[in-house]
Amino acid sequence: MPKRFRLTRRFPVAMTEDGYRRLKRFAFDAGLDEGEALSFLFENFDSVIESEKLTHRLRLFNSELDARKR
């Protein structure tokens, strides 16, 4: 029997414009709303990322973060 899909958590999120546009595009392409798309991504995180690329991208993002906040 499939698990019932319930959105049980709500939290304020600050996103970059680029990140939000990408989330909206992914959600639209997948036929989901933004909350469902985020739930899908995080429930399946280990199978939808490449850990080596994630580490590299995270280092780049962190190195640019202070400049992007200004």
Side-chain angles (χ1 to χ4, degrees):
M1 173 182 263
K3 269 196 302 190
R4 184 171 172 210
F5 189 78
R6 293 183 327 153
L7 297 177
T8 60
R9 302 280 188 255
R10 295 192 180 275
F11 59 98
V13 176
M15 296 183 76
T16 63
E17 282 295 318
D18 290 342
Y20 187 64
R21 279 195 296 273
R22 184 62 186 103
L23 173 62
K24 285 183 69 81
R25 188 172 70 220
F26 170 71
F28 178 79
D29 291 346
L32 303 169
D33 68 29
E34 289 88 355
E36 293 165 341
L38 282 173
S39 290
F40 168 79
L41 288 172
F42 283 105
E43 286 180 15
N44 299 287
F45 190 77
D46 291 334
S47 63
V48 297
I49 64 143
E50 292 182 39
S51 60
E52 292 158 9
K53 285 186 179 181
L54 174 66
T55 303
H56 174 70
R57 292 287 187 174
L58 189 55
R59 262 191 243 121
L60 286 174
F61 185 82
N62 281 332
S63 69
E64 299 170 349
L65 193 56
D66 285 335
R68 293 175 75 172
K69 286 182 180 179
R70 295 180 203 153

